[in-house]
Amino acid sequence: IDNSKVESGTLESDFDFLPAKTIPDPAASKPSDWDDKAKIDDPSDTKPAEWDKPEYIADPDAKKPEDWDDDTDGEWEPPNVPNLAYKGEWKPKQIDNFNYKGVWVHPQVPNPAYQPDDGLYSYDDFGVIGFDLWQVKSGTIFDNVLITDDVEYAVKD
């Protein structure tokens, strides 16, 4: 903006126009004894006996309606209400895993399909340019857009 660099990048590194320079090594695989879980369940932690309470219970204050007929309406069941003693699903305490080796990183090898393209950005004609703008105040006008790779031409008045 106004001849000062605000952002920069390259088409090759910032977009997927070309195949990746490196790929996961097809000959490498995670060792069978590799443990990548940082935390594990504590084997000495046990679920308390009072933990097993249902999430919903039959409403103890509900009464069977006087006009209820078991023959036509079926057997009456009281509505369910949330159980205030319900504590949720029990999960054992987590402890550090002594066998933890860290996250396994797949080794990378050069991609045989990758070929650098020095003319990736080069076009004979840019027929259209698009802007995706967010404005706080309306009325901003953009004009005199210049696309060039010639710094001397860009800075001249």
Side-chain angles (χ1 to χ4, degrees), residues 36-94:
D36 54 6
K37 294 178 190 162
K39 300 279 187 181
I40 58 171
D41 294 343
D42 184 353
S44 65
D45 195 16
T46 57
K47 179 167 51 170
E50 70 276 358
W51 197 276
D52 284 331
K53 303 285 185 191
E55 184 174 0
Y56 295 97
I57 57 172
D59 186 351
D61 299 328
K63 304 280 188 236
K64 181 178 178 178
E66 290 183 20
D67 62 345
W68 190 273
D69 183 4
D70 286 342
D71 292 334
T72 57
D73 298 326
E75 182 180 341
W76 182 80
E77 295 179 9
N80 287 333
V81 293
N83 184 357
L84 300 179
Y86 178 69
K87 297 180 182 180
E89 179 184 350
W90 183 82
K91 294 181 181 172
K93 182 174 65 173
Q94 298 287 294

Side-chain angles (χ1 to χ4, degrees), residues 4-123:
S4 63
K5 185 185 286 189
V6 177
E7 284 287 335
S8 67
T10 66
L11 291 176
E12 184 176 349
S13 63
D14 295 336
F15 297 94
D16 295 329
F17 290 124
L18 299 174
K21 286 184 180 181
T22 60
I23 57 172
D25 185 355
S29 62
K30 182 165 64 168
S32 59
D33 65 339
W34 193 275
D35 196 346
D36 54 6
K37 294 178 190 162
K39 300 279 187 181
I40 58 171
D41 294 343
D42 184 353
S44 65
D45 195 16
T46 57
K47 179 167 51 170
E50 70 276 358
W51 197 276
D52 284 331
K53 303 285 185 191
E55 184 174 0
Y56 295 97
I57 57 172
D59 186 351
D61 299 328
K63 304 280 188 236
K64 181 178 178 178
E66 290 183 20
D67 62 345
W68 190 273
D69 183 4
D70 286 342
D71 292 334
T72 57
D73 298 326
E75 182 180 341
W76 182 80
E77 295 179 9
N80 287 333
V81 293
N83 184 357
L84 300 179
Y86 178 69
K87 297 180 182 180
E89 179 184 350
W90 183 82
K91 294 181 181 172
K93 182 174 65 173
Q94 298 287 294
I95 60 171
D96 290 334
N97 183 357
F98 298 108
N99 297 323
Y100 177 64
K101 295 183 179 183
V103 176
W104 187 74
V105 179
H106 202 121
Q108 300 286 306
V109 294
N111 183 357
Y114 171 75
Q115 292 293 326
D117 184 358
D118 293 336
L120 185 63
Y121 66 92
S122 180
Y123 291 92

Side-chain angles (χ1 to χ4, degrees), residues 126 128-129 145-149:
F126 284 94
V128 177
I129 183 171
V145 175
L146 173 66
I147 300 175
T148 183
D149 61 354

